[in-house]
Amino acid sequence: MRQYLNQTPVENYQVVKKIAALGLPGVILVVTMAATGLSGAAAITAALAFLGGPAGMLGGIAVLGLTGLITDALAEVGLEDLLTAIYCQRRQGEPHGKLIEEIEALSLFNGDIKDRLKATVTDGCGCDTVVNAYLTDVTQEAIAILERVPGMTPAHHRDFKQSNPIIRLRDGAAVRTWKNPLGVDHVFVADSQDRMVYGGYVGWIHSEGLNCAIAQIRRDLT
C-alpha cells in the first residue's frame, strides 16, 4: 500500500512535532530546504537570512540535526504534505487567526498552496486523513484491487472532499469517485467514519482498468 504522511511511522510524526514546535522559523526552514536543496548549517543560514532574525531563532545542535530528518521527510512525502502535517499540528495549540495571517504573509507560498494551507488551519483539511485508522480485511482488499490498476498514482487529500460515494463495502467503508475538470478519474476509499484511507487517480488510457476494478469491488466486497 502506498504511504501517506499520516500513515508513516512514529519517527515522521516526531519530526512534524519538532518542526511545529519551532513555529514560523520551522516552516521557513522546511520551505528553504525544499526550494534550495540545502541542508545542515547552510539551510539554517539561508532560513535565517530570510527571517532576518538572530541565530537563536534557529540555532543549536538540535535544529542542526533536525535538518537531516527534514530532508528525509521531504523525500518521502513532498513539501505540501509535510507543511499540511505541520499546520495540522500547530492548529491544535496556536490561534487560527495568527496562523492564517502567517500563511497569507509568506511570499514563499503561491496562491494555491496558501488557500489549501489556510483550509487546513480553519477546517482541518487533510488532518483526518488516516490517523492510525484501523483497516479491516475488506477495506485492505479494496485498496489492493485499486493498487493493481495500471497507471494508478497517489491522489492528494485536498481532492477527497470533491468525491462522491458510489459503493458501500461490507465493513461500512465507502469507495468514492471524482472526475477533475480535465476528465481525469480519481478514486478514494473512506473508512466507516468517512476519513480518507486511500486515494489515487489514473490517466485516460487506464480509465477502463479502473472501471473494472470498481466493478470487482462491487461484486466481491459489498
Side-chain angles (χ1 to χ4, degrees), residues 3-199:
Q3 296 295 308
Y4 295 84
L5 185 61
N6 299 78
Q7 292 175 287
T8 51
V10 174
E11 289 83 359
N12 266 358
Y13 176 65
Q14 295 301 324
V15 170
V16 169
K17 288 184 66 177
K18 290 175 181 177
I19 300 169
L22 294 173
L24 175 59
V27 172
I28 297 298
L29 179 60
V30 168
V31 177
T32 300
M33 290 179 63
T36 65
L38 296 173
S39 61
I44 294 175
T45 300
L48 286 171
F50 181 89
L51 287 164
M57 295 180 71
L58 276 174
I61 299 299
V63 176
L64 185 60
L66 183 59
T67 61
L69 299 177
I70 293 173
T71 299
D72 292 342
L74 286 170
E76 183 172 355
V77 301
L79 175 60
E80 186 171 343
D81 279 352
L82 182 54
L83 289 173
T84 297
I86 292 167
Y87 278 104
C88 283
Q89 182 69 28
R90 293 183 62 192
R91 74 188 294 271
Q92 297 178 36
E94 298 183 54
H96 291 185
K98 171 199 164 200
L99 295 178
I100 294 296
E101 291 177 1
E102 173 184 304
I103 293 168
E104 186 60 39
L106 282 174
S107 60
L108 295 173
F109 298 150
N110 66 36
D112 288 341
I113 292 181
K114 282 185 179 182
D115 289 344
R116 289 192 290 268
L117 290 178
K118 285 189 286 188
T120 293
V121 172
T122 57
D123 303 326
C125 180
C127 299
D128 290 334
T129 304
V130 195
V131 181
N132 297 320
Y134 170 71
L135 301 184
T136 69
D137 290 343
V138 171
T139 296
Q140 290 187 57
E141 177 59 23
I143 292 172
I145 291 170
L146 294 172
E147 281 284 83
R148 290 195 290 269
V149 176
M152 184 63 72
T153 303
H156 198 283
H157 61 73
R158 65 174 174 265
D159 295 324
F160 175 68
K161 293 198 298 184
Q162 309 288 339
S163 63
N164 295 303
I166 60 169
I167 301 173
R168 182 66 63 178
L169 305 183
R170 290 196 298 267
D171 61 357
V175 175
R176 303 167 62 107
T177 58
W178 174 63
K179 191 185 294 286
N180 74 8
L182 296 177
V184 176
D185 288 307
H186 289 60
V187 62
F188 300 90
V189 179
D191 68 7
S192 59
Q193 303 301 312
D194 202 32
R195 297 175 299 184
M196 173 180 156
V197 296
Y198 177 82

